[in-house]
Amino acid sequence: ESGLVNSCHGIYKGGLAVALAQISFAGGYGLEINLAQVPTYRGLTPVTNLDGILDGIDKILYSESASRFLITIPQKNKKQFERILKGNVISEIGKVRNDEKFILFAKGKPIIQESIIGLKKSWQKTFANF
């Protein structure tokens, strides 16, 4: 009601990775996300190893746990938004970009770097078209 929020998307089917992509598709803007800042059941989990299987990154990206939301707000509303949500588990995990680049970082390195146009084309394909 106060106009603090630009967008809000539940994190459910497909987890955080799908929710991030879908808000990019809807808004037409890219995102720059630091996965080390995503709250987990252990608190903020630093991603320490990119070798082999994703060492927890897969759980951060694809967990379908309940009661999580991905919210975008203008920077000017950040303090008021945080004040309203004080006492809840929240974390700033990234920023909206003014272009179509979709970048996910782990341990300071990009692990996904794609245009939202490319992501959307892949998302819309059927499995038979791969």
Side-chain angles (χ1 to χ4, degrees):
E1 290 177 9
S2 66
L4 292 176
V5 172
N6 281 345
S7 70
C8 181
H9 193 296
I11 300 176
Y12 42 89
K13 190 175 182 180
L16 177 64
V18 171
L20 288 166
Q22 288 175 333
I23 66 163
S24 283
F25 301 159
Y29 292 99
L31 295 172
E32 193 168 308
I33 304 299
N34 181 352
L35 297 177
Q37 297 304 312
V38 175
T40 66
Y41 72 94
R42 290 185 220 135
L44 292 178
T45 303
V47 178
T48 58
N49 182 4
L50 294 177
D51 299 331
I53 302 300
L54 297 175
D55 192 36
I57 297 171
D58 54 338
K59 292 176 186 163
I60 292 170
L61 288 174
Y62 301 108
S63 171
E64 296 180 356
S65 54
S67 302
R68 296 187 306 152
F69 296 94
L70 185 59
I71 300 169
T72 62
I73 58 169
Q75 189 64 30
K76 67 180 183 181
N77 295 344
K78 181 180 175 183
K79 287 184 181 179
Q80 185 177 358
F81 181 80
E82 289 174 341
R83 190 170 43 251
I84 291 169
L85 290 177
K86 187 175 181 177
N88 293 285
V89 177
I90 63 170
S91 180
E92 181 177 353
I93 65 169
K95 66 181 181 178
V96 176
R97 297 175 56 98
N98 285 327
D99 58 25
E100 296 177 341
K101 292 180 183 175
F102 185 91
I103 307 170
L104 301 183
F105 287 90
K107 198 178 175 187
K109 297 178 184 179
I111 60 167
I112 297 175
Q113 200 167 351
E114 181 65 68
S115 76
I116 59 173
I117 294 167
L119 287 176
K120 190 170 185 178
K121 283 180 184 178
S122 294
W123 179 66
Q124 291 175 324
K125 285 183 182 179
T126 62
F127 287 120
N129 292 331
F130 278 98

